Amino acid sequence: MGFDFGMLLASLNKLSTSDHQSVVSINLFVALICACIVIGHLLEENRWMNESITALVIGLCTGVVILLISGGKNSHILVFSEDLFFIYLLPPIIFNAGFQVKKKSFFRNFSTIMLFGAVGTLISFITISLGAIGIFRKMNIGSLEIGDYLAIGAIFSATDSVCTLQVLSQDETPLLYSLVFGEGVVNDATSVVLFNAVQNFDLSHISTSKALQLVGNFLYLFASSTILGVATGLLSAYIIKKLYFGRHSTDREVAIMILMAYLSYMLAELFYLSAILTVFFSGIVMSHYTWHNVTESSRVTTKHAFATLSFIAEIFIFLYVGMDALDIEKWRFVSDSPELSVQVSSILLALVLVGRAAFVFPLSFLSNLMKKSTEEKISFNKQITIWWAGLMRGAVSMALAYNQFTRGGHTQLRGNAIMITSTITVVLFSTMVFGLMTKPLIRLLLPSPKHLSRMISSEPTTPKSFIVPLLDSNTQDSEADLCLNVPRPHSLRMLLTTPSHTVHRYWRRFDNAFMRPVFGGRGFVPFVPGSPTEPSELH
């Protein structure tokens, strides 16, 4: 048998060309991300725009240029990959949300946040799913099954409150900021849990028992994913506290934190749990314990490293969505009936509006019944702001839609193509139109008060803090002091009116007595090279 050198050279040349094209594509994409950052910085003073809108616009413009260069054959320089989105891009976004959360404000309003983030998302999911089933089945949009309709409910229940948070002041409206931020991150996690529960369940024959099993599967995923995230966070805190990596190298501390965070996500994927929920609670636990066990330089490094990775991942997703909005392959399926695509997108937007309103106003009324103080109650203007904050759809919605309706970045079925193009339209419209209207709406509904509220979270040494020293031995744990003034509940009615304060009070006692002596946290002084004393616990 002879060896065909010509065929070998042709194969190597083809491989070399393919590698070169990949390098060119990556270079262009990295250059575009840099352009998004630069332009976003130049528009920083104009709070009408943010990096998400900037990346979408640049993505659209780039898509037009590529479309013209390729003769109408292509609009993006990278092909969508489910692994790219779910294994590399979403983990840093969700982890950073948990890592940067203001724990004191988050758990002080925990009952209301969970009411909006978990129960509210479930109501929105049911509303959108039922609306999609009732309307889309009567329209000629292709062969969609019951699982697809339920997936639509989960996809469009995932909010993106970035635009609202950028124009809200945490100092002027601490309650509203805490509710919007907390509800946003819990909402993302809940939406993904619902999506996974729908995908992993047999929906061929719906019955009461099947519905109860679906609810049970949802609760199992929620609980087990949370436990895994907490366990991974505690393990990282214990390892760093006991081994004192900082005595030799801060790089090891940073590396173990980043790797343990990513390990929590991959373990959840391995056990078919909700990786998003796992990494979110891992971020909360690591910011409460692990982050306080490392050296000062490691604190600064990890805080900015996680924020930077999340920032780049979000820009990457929105940039790709902007280019993919002009993908010829997807639009070819709806080219014969463009009005159908407009109708589907309009219906989805209407369902998003209705699904959001279906829980914000009723649950706000229920939350107000449990509040005695007027300052803690959610006024009607704040309810409108919360409703508006959840109308934008972004990275999580796009990632779930791609996962449900595409295979390997391509869409071959008409119904799937319509849902992808409609999702892109909803994301573009809600992010750009609703996002640009956010600032004037909030100025109208929530004018700046003359006297700023003093109810500001006193968490001087959390990953979110930028203006205070990260390591101050004179800083006392004010959370415990504030909780001492909370009256003890003497009746069920009083317990219902101050549930979050009461739970927080008993949690602080348990945390100080059992958790911090084992896992460290605030008050733990890590070993610093050259220090005359060994690491010890401050009481």
Side-chain angles (χ1 to χ4, degrees):
M1 289 180 64
F3 188 78
D4 193 341
F5 286 98
M7 184 178 294
L8 176 62
L9 291 174
S11 300
L12 292 175
N13 185 49
K14 183 177 180 180
L15 181 63
S16 176
T17 304
S18 176
D19 290 342
H20 181 70
Q21 289 176 349
S22 299
V23 172
V24 172
S25 299
I26 293 174
N27 272 279
L28 287 174
F29 215 93
V30 172
L32 289 173
I33 293 177
C34 293
C36 291
I37 295 174
V38 172
I39 296 175
H41 172 73
L42 296 176
L43 296 174
E44 182 69 22
E45 295 300 323
N46 181 8
R47 299 296 290 274
W48 291 60
M49 297 284 286
N50 60 24
E51 281 80 9
S52 301
I53 299 177
T54 303
L56 279 174
V57 173
I58 292 178
L60 283 170
C61 296
T62 306
V64 172
V65 173
I66 298 175
L67 205 61
L68 295 175
I69 294 175
S70 64
K73 296 180 179 179
N74 191 19
S75 66
H76 42 70
I77 53 182
L78 291 177
V79 177
F80 170 79
S81 168
E82 294 175 11
D83 291 342
L84 175 65
F85 268 69
F86 281 92
I87 297 182
Y88 300 110
L89 296 180
L90 280 186
I93 296 174
I94 304 299
F95 177 82
N96 188 63
F99 192 73
Q100 301 283 7
V101 71
K102 283 283 189 181
K103 296 182 296 297
K104 189 174 187 302
S105 297
F106 181 84
F107 288 105
R108 172 184 286 170
N109 302 296
F110 185 75
S111 58
T112 306
I113 288 173
M114 292 305 295
L115 202 62
F116 286 151
V119 179
T121 303
L122 189 59
I123 295 174
S124 178
F125 163 75
I126 295 173
T127 304
I128 296 174
S129 296
L130 292 178
I133 293 173
I135 298 174
F136 292 152
R137 277 188 169 178
K138 300 177 182 178
M139 303 172 63
N140 183 26
I141 61 173
S143 57
L144 295 180
E145 300 177 354
I146 184 66
D148 294 322
Y149 293 118
L150 294 178
I152 290 172
I155 289 168
F156 290 98
S157 295
T159 65
D160 186 2
S161 54
V162 173
C163 295
T164 308
L165 288 174
Q166 285 195 337
V167 295
L168 277 179
S169 171
Q170 189 170 3
D171 293 340
E172 294 179 7
T173 55
L175 172 64
L176 185 60
Y177 189 95
S178 175
L179 291 179
V180 171
F181 178 80
E183 187 252 337
V185 292
V186 175
N187 165 274
D188 284 345
T190 307
S191 299
V192 175
V193 171
L194 283 170
F195 184 81
N196 291 337
V198 168
Q199 280 196 323
N200 298 331
F201 204 73
D202 181 16
L203 300 168
S204 56
H205 299 89
I206 297 295
S207 62
T208 303
S209 60
K210 290 280 187 181
L212 291 176
Q213 290 180 25
L214 181 61
V215 173
N217 190 30
F218 166 77
L219 294 176
Y220 163 74
L221 282 174
F222 203 100
S224 54
S225 302
T226 301
I227 292 172
L228 179 60
V230 171
T232 310
L234 291 177
L235 179 62
S236 68
Y238 185 80
I239 290 175
I240 289 181
K241 179 176 180 293
K242 289 298 181 182
L243 298 182
Y244 311 126
F245 289 100
R247 75 171 66 190
H248 298 301
S249 171
T250 58
D251 295 339
R252 295 174 184 171
E253 289 182 321
V254 176
I256 200 70
M257 284 189 70
I258 294 176
L259 292 175
M260 288 295 289
Y262 193 65
L263 178 64
S264 69
Y265 186 90
M266 296 310 299
L267 283 175
E269 288 286 340
L270 178 65
F271 296 117
Y272 301 101
L273 302 176
S274 172
I276 299 296
L277 195 63
T278 297
V279 78
F280 171 66
F281 277 97
S282 176
I284 291 180
V285 173
M286 289 181 71
S287 70
H288 187 67
Y289 296 109
T290 314
W291 191 76
H292 295 280
N293 294 344
V294 300
T295 58
E296 181 179 358
S297 58
S298 295
R299 295 182 189 182
V300 177
T301 303
T302 53
K303 178 186 66 175
H304 291 291
F306 290 134
T308 302
L309 290 174
S310 173
F311 176 72
I312 294 175
E314 286 190 0
I315 292 180
F316 188 103
I317 292 175
F318 279 104
L319 188 61
Y320 183 87
V321 169
M323 288 188 288
D324 200 51
L326 301 174
D327 184 30
I328 295 300
E329 177 191 312
K330 298 180 177 65
W331 288 104
R332 186 180 294 118
F333 287 96
V334 297
S335 60
D336 57 337
S337 54
E339 68 279 358
L340 179 62
S341 180
V342 175
Q343 290 176 5
V344 173
S345 302
S346 302
I347 291 170
L348 287 173
L349 274 172
L351 289 175
V352 167
L353 293 170
V354 174
R356 183 76 182 167
F359 76 85
V360 168
F361 299 105
L363 294 185
S364 296
F365 175 78
L366 183 61
S367 176
N368 288 339
L369 291 179
M370 298 188 297
K371 307 292 184 182
K372 271 190 173 182
S373 172
T374 306
E375 295 179 350
E376 293 182 346
K377 291 188 175 183
I378 308 172
S379 64
F380 184 69
N381 285 353
K382 290 181 180 179
Q383 292 177 32
I384 295 178
T385 304
I386 294 173
W387 171 73
W388 185 268
L391 295 180
M392 275 72 80
R393 295 296 178 266
V396 175
S397 293
M398 284 305 310
L400 295 180
Y402 280 123
N403 181 265
Q404 179 68 24
F405 297 111
T406 67
R407 294 295 179 269
H410 301 285
T411 306
Q412 302 298 337
L413 300 177
R414 183 172 184 269
N416 290 359
I418 290 177
M419 293 315 306
I420 286 291
T421 55
S422 299
T423 303
I424 291 173
T425 303
V426 171
V427 170
L428 289 174
F429 184 88
S430 63
T431 302
M432 298 182 70
V433 178
F434 293 164
L436 290 174
M437 293 171 61
T438 297
K439 185 175 182 179
L441 179 68
I442 291 181
R443 279 183 173 178
L444 177 65
L445 295 175
L446 303 171
S448 299
K450 295 181 180 179
H451 303 286
L452 298 182
S453 171
R454 297 300 179 185
M455 295 179 62
I456 302 174
S457 172
S458 55
E459 250 184 282
T461 55
T462 61
K464 190 70 176 177
S465 304
F466 284 89
I467 59 174
V468 293
L470 292 174
L471 187 62
D472 187 357
S473 58
N474 296 324
T475 303
Q476 300 298 322
D477 191 353
S478 56
E479 293 182 19
D481 298 336
L482 290 176
C483 292
L484 295 177
N485 297 325
V486 178
R488 294 175 179 271
H490 298 292
S491 65
L492 180 60
R493 177 180 177 82
M494 187 174 179
L495 180 63
L496 290 176
T497 56
T498 58
S500 55
H501 293 290
T502 306
V503 172
H504 183 261
R505 183 166 173 267
Y506 286 115
W507 158 249
R508 296 301 301 168
R509 286 187 172 185
F510 176 79
D511 190 28
N512 290 329
F514 299 102
M515 300 298 289
R516 289 184 178 179
V518 177
F519 300 104
R522 183 180 303 171
F524 175 73
V525 180
F527 182 84
V528 179
S531 174
T533 59
E534 289 293 323
S536 61
E537 292 285 350
L538 295 181
H539 297 285

